[in-house]
């Protein structure tokens, strides 16, 4: 028996050496445990062989999405103008301190390259655009992946109109997709469940008579107001809060309308999107002094409510915005 074992040793050694050589020369990329995973983003499949580890985000709402899921360790940094929201009270304030603030200006390919990004998470008109040559296609040529904010997905309508699903469903879709991409499905599921409950609690308190005050979202603009169509977050925020979005028939997300539309439809309430300059008080002053609006109910009765920019674009702050607006609309209903 010992002699036979000894005779086999050279054979075994040769076999093991052969296996080792085969592994050493295998050029197939190793797959991380649980990967690849595929998600649908703006109707197209995106496949990941591993979790991105150097994500660069654009704008406060997109950084919020990452931080709400506890993904700061997967980020190389974020790009965000200083005027895009108060960070002092957010639940994930520590994450903003921990992750590098790469730029307070517009995101560029150079920023992504300098950060050694493996994924840029932005959106159409939230950083992505043909005008600045920053698109998923242009990033792909540089070997950098891209994920598009679902609220901003182009819908194939006229021009570059955006929106492919109800806005809060866009929020839940991105949370679920990120949960899958980064293998934090439990965190994503918990957040979505909590947000749905928060909104259900609001809806349970809506007036029983079914009356819905009409609400106009005023973002900016004096010649023509920028507002929310059916596919931007304010539409769902207003609706879930018990209001009726004045421009819900516009099949776009953020877009412009004419002041004549506002005057003709005579909103009960105007919600101001607060960011940058002009400030919310300056916007309110304009609305109250603009002659064509003098007889609009919201202006005449001073029913003007302010929400922060980060409340009104797709972000984890949307459910809290629903709660706050619903509280205000109940006071209007009581008048």
């Amino acid at each position: 028996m010992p002699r036979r074992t000894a005779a086999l040793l050279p054979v075994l050694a040769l076999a093991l050496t052969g296996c080792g050589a085969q592994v050493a020369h295998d050029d197939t990329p190793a797959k991380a445990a649980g990967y690849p995973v595929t998600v649908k983003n703006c109707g197209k499949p995106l496949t990941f062989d591993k979790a991105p580890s150097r994500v660069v985000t654009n704008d406060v709402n997109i950084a919020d999405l990452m931080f709400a899921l506890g993904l700061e360790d997967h980020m190389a940094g974020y790009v965000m103008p200083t005027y895009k929201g108060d960070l002092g009270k957010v639940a994930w304030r520590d994450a903003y301190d921990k992750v590098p603030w790469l730029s307070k200006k517009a995101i560029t390919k150079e920023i992504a390259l300098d950060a050694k990004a493996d994924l840029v998470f932005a959106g159409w008109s939230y950083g992505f655009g043909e005008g600045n040559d920053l698109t998923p296609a242009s990033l792909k040529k540089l070997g950098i992946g891209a994920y598009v904010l679902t609220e901003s997905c182009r819908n194939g309508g006229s021009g570059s109109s955006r929106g492919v699903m109800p806005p809060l469903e866009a929020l839940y879709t991105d949370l679920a997709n990120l949960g899958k991409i980064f293998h934090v499905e439990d965190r994503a599921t918990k957040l979505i469940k909590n947000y749905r409950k928060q909104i259900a609690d609001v809806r349970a308190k809506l007036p029983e008579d079914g009356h819905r005050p009409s609400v106009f979202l005023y973002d900016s603009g004096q010649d023509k107001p920028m507002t929310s169509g059916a596919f931007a977050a304010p539409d769902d925020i207003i609706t879930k809060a018990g209001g009726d979005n004045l421009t819900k028939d516009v099949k776009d997300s953020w877009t412009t309308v004419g002041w004549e539309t506002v005057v003709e439809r005579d909103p009960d309430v105007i919600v101001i999107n607060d960011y940058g300059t002009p400030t919310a008080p300056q916007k309110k002053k304009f609305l109250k002094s603009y002659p064509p609006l003098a007889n609009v109910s919201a202006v005449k009765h001073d029913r003007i409510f302010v929400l922060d920019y980060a409340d009104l674009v797709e972000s984890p702050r949307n459910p809290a915005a629903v709660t706050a607006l619903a509280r205000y609309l109940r006071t209007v209903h009581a008048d």
Side-chain angles (χ1 to χ4, degrees):
M1 288 292 293
R3 189 174 298 178
R4 182 174 177 180
T5 302
L8 284 172
L9 286 176
V11 178
L12 289 171
L14 181 61
L16 289 170
T17 302
C19 289
Q22 184 179 7
V23 171
H25 290 90
D26 187 357
D27 293 329
T28 303
K31 297 291 192 298
Y35 291 87
V37 297
T38 299
V39 298
K40 272 195 174 181
N41 183 216
C42 296
K44 298 178 180 178
L46 279 183
T47 299
F48 295 83
D49 290 331
K50 61 181 180 179
S53 60
R54 296 195 61 79
V55 181
V56 170
T57 62
N58 182 73
D59 219 336
V60 58
N61 55 319
I62 297 177
D64 278 3
L65 283 164
M66 294 290 289
F67 295 151
L69 286 166
L71 296 173
E72 54 268 26
D73 290 340
H74 290 265
M75 292 181 63
Y78 60 90
V79 175
M80 183 184 75
T82 53
Y83 62 77
K84 288 294 183 73
D86 178 14
L87 303 180
K89 298 178 181 179
V90 296
W92 40 89
R93 183 70 184 86
D94 289 347
Y96 274 103
D97 290 336
K98 179 179 179 181
V99 176
W101 193 341
L102 300 176
S103 175
K104 298 177 183 179
K105 297 181 180 180
I107 188 171
T108 64
K109 288 188 291 188
E110 289 72 26
I111 289 172
L113 286 168
D114 288 346
K116 297 180 173 58
D118 55 4
L119 182 74
V120 171
F121 183 7
W124 293 111
S125 296
Y126 290 89
F128 289 144
E130 286 82 4
N132 60 353
D133 193 30
L134 184 69
T135 65
S138 68
L139 287 170
K140 185 177 182 180
K141 292 178 182 177
L142 300 173
I144 301 172
Y147 184 91
V148 179
L149 183 76
T150 296
E151 181 190 46
S152 78
C153 293
R154 290 174 171 172
N155 58 27
S158 59
S160 56
S161 59
R162 296 171 294 163
V164 294
M165 64 180 69
L168 284 173
E169 289 304 317
L171 170 63
Y172 304 147
T173 294
D174 283 334
L175 288 171
N177 280 349
L178 292 171
K180 191 173 182 181
I181 291 166
F182 293 94
H183 271 199
V184 290
E185 292 97 331
D186 288 349
R187 296 180 206 169
T189 299
K190 184 177 180 180
L191 279 179
I192 294 168
K193 182 179 179 181
N194 289 344
Y195 293 156
R196 288 188 184 277
K197 183 181 185 306
Q198 190 173 349
I199 290 167
D201 289 345
V202 170
R203 290 172 66 79
K205 297 176 184 176
L206 295 182
E208 294 181 1
D209 63 8
H211 174 68
R212 287 179 168 271
S214 59
V215 180
F216 176 65
L217 187 285
Y218 178 57
D219 177 272
S220 58
Q222 295 190 359
D223 294 336
K224 277 189 171 185
M226 174 75 75
T227 189
S228 165
F231 295 119
D235 183 80
D236 243 355
I237 291 169
I238 291 167
T239 302
K240 298 295 195 295
D244 188 40
N245 179 18
L246 198 77
T247 50
K248 65 184 179 184
D249 58 325
V250 180
K251 302 306 179 186
D252 202 345
S253 58
W254 294 94
T255 188
T256 57
V257 296
W259 282 117
E260 60 275 11
T261 299
V262 181
V263 173
E264 180 184 340
R265 298 184 182 185
D266 191 21
D268 298 307
V269 174
I270 294 176
V271 172
I272 288 176
N273 186 7
D274 184 19
Y275 66 97
T277 304
T279 63
Q282 289 170 332
K283 290 178 182 178
K284 183 174 181 178
K285 182 178 179 181
F286 164 72
L287 292 169
K288 290 182 70 67
S289 63
Y290 187 49
L293 298 179
N295 290 318
V296 166
S297 297
V299 173
K300 190 161 54 176
H301 298 289
D302 197 30
R303 297 196 196 105
I304 298 176
F305 188 67
V306 177
L307 285 170
D308 191 80
Y309 171 88
D311 297 325
L312 291 168
V313 289
E314 184 202 316
S315 83
R317 306 190 208 189
N318 296 158
V322 173
T323 302
L325 181 57
R327 191 180 302 119
Y328 179 78
L329 292 181
R330 283 198 295 271
T331 69
V332 173
H333 184 271
D335 287 347

